[in-house]
Amino acid sequence: MSNQRHKILVIEDNRDVRENIAEILALAGYEVFVAEHGKAGVEQAILHKPDLILCDIMMPELDGFGVLRILSKNPATSGTPFIFLTAKAEREDFRRGMGLGADDYITKPFDDVMLLDTIELRLKRSNRLRNSFDGTEHGLQQFFNEAKAQDNLLALADDREIRRYEKRDVIYAEGQIARWLFFVVSGKAKSYRVNDIGKELITKVSAPGDFLGMIPLLRGEKYTDSAMALEPCEIRLVPKEDFLKLVFSQKEVSAAMIKVLARQIEETELHLLHLAYDAVREKVSGVLAILCERYQQDGVSRIPLLREDLASLAGTAKETVIRTLSEFKEDGLIEIDGNDIVIRDVNVLRRISH
Amino acid sequence: MSNQRHKILVIEDNRDVRENIAEILALAGYEVFVAEHGKAGVEQAILHKPDLILCDIMMPELDGFGVLRILSKNPATSGTPFIFLTAKAEREDFRRGMGLGADDYITKPFDDVMLLDTIELRLKRSNRLRNSFDGTEHGLQQFFNEAKAQDNLLALADDREIRRYEKRDVIYAEGQIARWLFFVVSGKAKSYRVNDIGKELITKVSAPGDFLGMIPLLRGEKYTDSAMALEPCEIRLVPKEDFLKLVFSQKEVSAAMIKVLARQIEETELHLLHLAYDAVREKVSGVLAILCERYQQDGVSRIPLLREDLASLAGTAKETVIRTLSEFKEDGLIEIDGNDIVIRDVNVLRRISH
DNA sequence: GGTTGTGTATGACTTTAGTCAGCTTGCTCT
DNA sequence: AGAGCAAGCTGACTAAAGTCATACACAACC
């Protein structure tokens, strides 16, 4: 029985908090390891291969983010559920600013029940995950054509944990290590890159049904771009391992993925051409034409994006976008209702941008 | 024996020429079909599924390029060797302007021996091709890791027909149907896209060891970009079918391909960011830094590109590039020898472009 | 009901890079 | 040798878009 007990590692610099947690967990039947700072935590994690890690964010020497990053890189520990401990005041900041690199977070002070519930939930999820493979792998064998492969990819997102993001919440950020594939259930999100002087270029606006953060998973590296919710979003998290296993072990899925990527390369190159030589009028109309489809509803498109975001999409200054929009309004191409842009006829815009 | 005879279709509007060819081929033991214009040619090709097609370029109604395009789209005829008949005067133009969509071309007037030699060569090649799979497919089974998959991809180019291109020759052009994968043996080539007002953006400079024209093959469509030799090039032609079969039938190769594509997407997106917000100075230095690697030799890089091409790489006007180069020269970052740009220290350039 | 904050709009000015035209250099071809 | 041509370079001018400052609209909040 004793070797079936779950092992939990607690990394926390405050002695009282650390011992308190350790005590609770021990009473609840877990095997507990403790570390009083990040470095020790990493060592312990590698040594004991715990089933779950609780980790404070604010610590001297190596903070929680650093620990997560190091452990994510190590194949032996990258799949371990990771829960952040955060002071109440930090929480808001942390959610907004960093995206959730971890599986969950617990706000200090916490009560015992909440702590145990959260841990149990994560352990259960992680278990289900590990088992899900042996089950599905057989099921996959039946798919032999491409259409099915696509379905397969979509089915990957079924029945996963849903996480909710508020407007402007970070979904993932440049530099973080990729641990999940994100599937947009509702709402819209932007993927963007930031250059040295802080200017932002949006490379994609994702709508329900789209996947986010695929490339870094395929490359097995850190994110080189970031993603943020443009409006309240529901997003399913597919663990990296599930995605990779599906993509690389199934011939048909690999083939489908190759086509998806090839298509994306082509689109991105076309984007390059437009960014390089189009005048602002063309860039802005091109952006509107693309957004038009994504925001279509009952034959009318109502685009509620900030001018700032439009500018990042077009690769121009905010004021320039605003001026161009004013022109379009005067020409009767668009209407502006409140701050939203309303498009009645896309084709004229398409003609401008070619 | 009679059903082993090779079937050849001759499409040629000039009656004398047509009958002359038909006679020669019949004497040589081929089964000959004729068509007096493009449309009839397409019908005959679909009807008789010839082993090889000879086709005039200049014809009323549907010209040779049109016939090739239509037949390339049809899976039943897309693999058929296709030889153009061209008048002597046309030849130069044709090579330079169109790239070689066809397998070969014969210049009129031609002598019988040359005609028969060319046909035999093509039939032999096409045969070898069709057989090569059953042979290699077994051989492929032994490869089970990624490194080998990469080798596998490279091995694909071994022992293929080499075609030589002169400086500024078109390798493939936008709108043509993809029939080959190109592998650069020696020399350098550019891939580029042209916008509506004729401005050119170079997306890649390929050096020996690189493949060209992968994406349209994977997508199974027409080229959406073009490729041109920057200097005399030797390029191996890998038939589409061989490439696709390797990529899609071998799990390990698919996996390698996915990684290659994912990497390319990332690079292209980074390119986007630079094109969007960098000042010319940064763009030009970035371009030089990249070219520097490609043109390295004995620790010194000597870039013999036209200013026009540099401009297309950076996405700016030619004069602007020239001015920026003059600045760099004054600052001692580069030297200009003849028309070539000589780079001693790349790092300074890298620092400018970040 | 005023204060604060966020986002949009517009005006005045500056910077940047594109355009056009002309000049120079070196090479090829007769 | 000199005509013709392609490619590089330079100067003057122009157009385009970015920057900065400010005003305005509207919602949230005490």
Side-chain angles (χ1 to χ4, degrees):
Chain A
M1 185 74 196
S2 88
N3 61 351
Q4 285 224 352
R5 281 203 301 165
H6 284 297
K7 291 181 282 183
I8 298 185
L9 171 62
V10 181
I11 311 172
E12 162 70 59
D13 58 329
N14 182 304
R15 188 176 154 175
D16 292 343
V17 178
R18 184 173 69 238
E19 293 187 347
N20 178 234
I21 297 178
E23 212 171 296
I24 296 172
L25 295 182
L27 280 172
Y30 296 108
E31 187 176 352
V32 186
F33 304 93
V34 293
E36 58 181 330
H37 57 261
K39 281 185 181 171
V42 172
E43 284 162 18
Q44 296 267 35
I46 290 166
L47 185 65
H48 298 299
K49 301 208 175 49
D51 299 298
L52 186 143
I53 297 168
L54 281 171
C55 181
D56 190 20
I57 294 186
M58 302 276 274
M59 288 185 297
E61 292 228 46
L62 185 66
D63 68 11
F65 298 117
V67 174
L68 176 58
R69 171 166 307 186
I70 291 169
L71 294 181
S72 294
K73 266 193 182 166
N74 188 327
T77 50
S78 70
T80 311
F82 199 100
I83 300 178
F84 273 146
L85 299 168
T86 86
K88 203 171 189 178
E90 290 163 18
R91 177 180 159 172
E92 220 15 45
D93 266 9
F94 150 67
R95 254 188 75 94
R96 301 199 85 85
M98 309 300 292
L100 283 174
D103 295 73
D104 215 333
Y105 54 96
I106 295 177
T107 313
K108 294 184 285 189
F110 44 81
D111 63 77
D112 311 357
V113 179
M114 203 247 273
L115 175 69
L116 293 173
D117 278 355
T118 307
I119 289 175
E120 247 174 68
L121 175 71
R122 287 299 143 191
L123 284 172
K124 213 166 66 192
R125 283 243 164 82
S126 133
N127 245 343
R128 188 175 67 90
L129 237 173
R130 244 172 272 287
N131 298 334
S132 72
F133 263 126
D134 317 317
T136 44
E137 200 122 50
H138 267 297
L140 293 184
Q141 295 297 338
Q142 61 187 288
F143 296 115
F144 277 99
N145 65 57
E146 261 177 46
K148 286 278 169 75
Q150 271 289 7
D151 289 351
N152 228 328
L153 213 56
L154 285 175
L156 191 65
D158 285 354
D159 197 30
R160 300 288 180 183
E161 175 185 2
I162 284 200
R163 193 159 283 171
R164 257 162 262 277
Y165 294 84
E166 290 308 307
K167 194 172 170 181
R168 302 273 128 186
D169 273 0
V170 173
I171 298 166
Y172 62 78
E174 188 182 336
Q176 288 179 351
I177 290 179
R179 303 182 68 208
W180 285 295
L181 176 68
F182 301 90
F183 178 79
V184 182
V185 176
S186 72
K188 300 211 171 49
K190 63 176 179 182
S191 306
Y192 60 98
R193 284 164 186 269
V194 184
N195 80 354
D196 335 304
I197 53 169
K199 292 204 180 184
E200 187 183 303
L201 184 75
I202 296 178
T203 48
K204 199 187 164 197
V205 172
S206 303
D210 291 340
F211 285 102
L212 267 178
M214 239 180 207
I215 309 296
L217 286 181
L218 293 173
R219 305 209 54 208
E221 289 182 16
K222 294 182 196 170
Y223 289 108
T224 55
D225 62 346
S226 310
M228 183 186 274
L230 288 168
E231 49 191 76
C233 280
E234 291 174 310
I235 292 182
R236 284 192 202 273
L237 304 193
V238 180
K240 173 181 170 178
E241 292 76 21
D242 288 25
F243 170 64
L244 293 182
K245 210 153 183 177
L246 176 67
V247 167
F248 287 125
S249 68
Q250 269 293 107
K251 220 156 70 173
E252 286 72 27
V253 181
S254 297
M257 183 54 63
I258 286 174
K259 294 198 174 163
V260 168
L261 295 177
R263 190 192 146 107
Q264 194 175 332
I265 289 175
E266 234 186 72
E267 281 173 7
T268 313
E269 284 195 354
L270 206 61
H271 194 171
L272 270 180
L273 186 63
H274 286 300
L275 263 188
Y277 297 125
D278 282 4
V280 247
R281 221 181 133 83
E282 299 166 309
K283 286 187 197 171
V284 174
S285 62
V287 165
L288 290 181
I290 291 168
L291 289 176
C292 190
E293 291 169 31
R294 309 240 116 188
Y295 283 96
Q296 199 121 46
Q297 214 166 29
D298 316 321
V300 189
S301 278
R302 182 185 199 83
I303 302 171
L305 286 185
L306 296 182
R307 301 299 178 262
E308 188 94 47
D309 283 333
L310 287 176
S312 300
L313 271 162
T316 56
K318 186 178 62 174
E319 293 89 336
T320 306
V321 169
I322 291 174
R323 275 184 249 270
T324 312
L325 287 175
S326 301
E327 274 178 51
F328 286 170
K329 197 171 77 177
E330 272 179 32
D331 298 352
L333 301 179
I334 60 170
E335 288 162 44
I336 290 181
D337 177 15
N339 287 338
D340 299 357
I341 297 159
V342 180
I343 299 174
R344 289 258 141 71
D345 183 16
V346 213
N347 297 316
V348 195
L349 288 172
R350 286 231 183 76
R351 224 166 295 141
I352 294 176
S353 62
H354 268 239
Chain B
M1 184 76 193
S2 88
N3 62 351
Q4 286 227 348
R5 282 202 301 164
H6 284 298
K7 291 182 282 185
I8 296 185
L9 171 61
V10 181
I11 311 173
E12 163 69 61
D13 59 329
N14 181 304
R15 188 176 154 172
D16 291 345
V17 178
R18 186 173 66 239
E19 292 188 347
N20 177 234
I21 297 179
E23 211 169 295
I24 296 170
L25 295 182
L27 280 173
Y30 295 108
E31 186 176 353
V32 185
F33 304 93
V34 293
E36 59 181 328
H37 57 260
K39 282 185 182 172
V42 172
E43 284 162 18
Q44 296 266 35
I46 290 166
L47 186 65
H48 299 299
K49 301 207 174 50
D51 299 299
L52 184 145
I53 297 168
L54 282 169
C55 181
D56 190 20
I57 292 184
M58 301 276 276
M59 288 185 297
E61 292 228 43
L62 184 68
D63 68 10
F65 298 117
V67 175
L68 175 58
R69 171 166 304 187
I70 292 169
L71 294 180
S72 293
K73 269 194 183 168
N74 188 328
T77 51
S78 70
T80 312
F82 199 99
I83 300 178
F84 273 144
L85 299 167
T86 87
K88 203 171 189 176
E90 292 162 14
R91 177 179 159 173
E92 221 15 47
D93 268 8
F94 151 69
R95 253 189 75 94
R96 301 200 85 83
M98 308 299 293
L100 282 174
D103 295 73
D104 215 333
Y105 55 96
I106 296 178
T107 314
K108 296 184 285 191
F110 44 80
D111 63 75
D112 311 355
V113 179
M114 203 249 274
L115 176 68
L116 292 173
D117 278 356
T118 307
I119 289 174
E120 247 174 66
L121 175 71
R122 287 299 144 192
L123 283 173
K124 215 166 63 192
R125 283 244 164 82
S126 133
N127 244 343
R128 186 175 68 90
L129 236 174
R130 245 173 273 286
N131 298 334
S132 72
F133 260 123
D134 317 318
T136 44
E137 200 121 52
H138 267 298
L140 293 184
Q141 294 299 337
Q142 63 188 285
F143 296 115
F144 277 99
N145 65 58
E146 259 176 50
K148 285 279 168 74
Q150 271 288 8
D151 289 351
N152 227 329
L153 214 54
L154 285 173
L156 191 65
D158 284 354
D159 197 32
R160 301 288 179 181
E161 173 184 4
I162 285 201
R163 193 159 282 171
R164 257 162 262 276
Y165 294 84
E166 290 308 308
K167 195 173 166 176
R168 303 272 125 187
D169 275 359
V170 173
I171 297 166
Y172 62 79
E174 187 183 336
Q176 287 179 351
I177 291 180
R179 303 183 68 210
W180 285 296
L181 176 68
F182 301 90
F183 179 79
V184 183
V185 176
S186 72
K188 299 209 172 52
K190 63 175 178 182
S191 305
Y192 60 99
R193 285 166 184 266
V194 184
N195 79 354
D196 334 303
I197 54 169
K199 293 205 180 182
E200 188 183 301
L201 183 75
I202 297 178
T203 48
K204 198 187 166 197
V205 173
S206 304
D210 291 341
F211 285 103
L212 267 177
M214 242 180 206
I215 308 296
L217 286 180
L218 292 173
R219 304 210 53 207
E221 288 182 14
K222 295 181 195 171
Y223 289 108
T224 53
D225 63 346
S226 310
M228 184 186 273
L230 286 168
E231 49 190 76
C233 280
E234 292 174 310
I235 291 181
R236 284 191 204 274
L237 304 193
V238 180
K240 171 183 171 178
E241 291 76 21
D242 288 25
F243 170 64
L244 293 182
K245 210 152 181 176
L246 176 66
V247 168
F248 287 124
S249 67
Q250 270 292 107
K251 220 157 70 175
E252 287 70 27
V253 181
S254 296
M257 183 54 62
I258 286 175
K259 294 196 176 164
V260 168
L261 294 177
R263 191 192 145 107
Q264 196 175 330
I265 289 176
E266 233 185 74
E267 280 174 8
T268 313
E269 284 194 354
L270 206 60
H271 193 172
L272 269 180
L273 186 62
H274 286 301
L275 264 188
Y277 298 123
D278 283 4
V280 224
R281 219 179 134 84
E282 299 167 310
K283 285 187 197 172
V284 174
S285 62
V287 165
L288 290 180
I290 290 168
L291 288 175
C292 190
E293 291 170 30
R294 311 239 114 189
Y295 283 95
Q296 198 120 47
Q297 213 165 28
D298 315 322
V300 189
S301 277
R302 184 184 196 83
I303 302 170
L305 286 185
L306 296 183
R307 300 299 178 262
E308 189 94 47
D309 283 333
L310 288 176
S312 301
L313 271 162
T316 56
K318 186 179 61 176
E319 291 90 336
T320 305
V321 169
I322 291 175
R323 275 184 249 270
T324 312
L325 288 176
S326 302
E327 273 177 51
F328 286 170
K329 197 172 77 178
E330 274 179 31
D331 298 351
L333 301 180
I334 60 171
E335 288 161 45
I336 290 181
D337 176 15
N339 288 336
D340 299 358
I341 297 159
V342 180
I343 301 174
R344 291 257 142 72
D345 182 17
V346 213
N347 296 318
V348 194
L349 288 172
R350 286 232 183 76
R351 223 164 299 142
I352 294 175
S353 62
H354 267 234

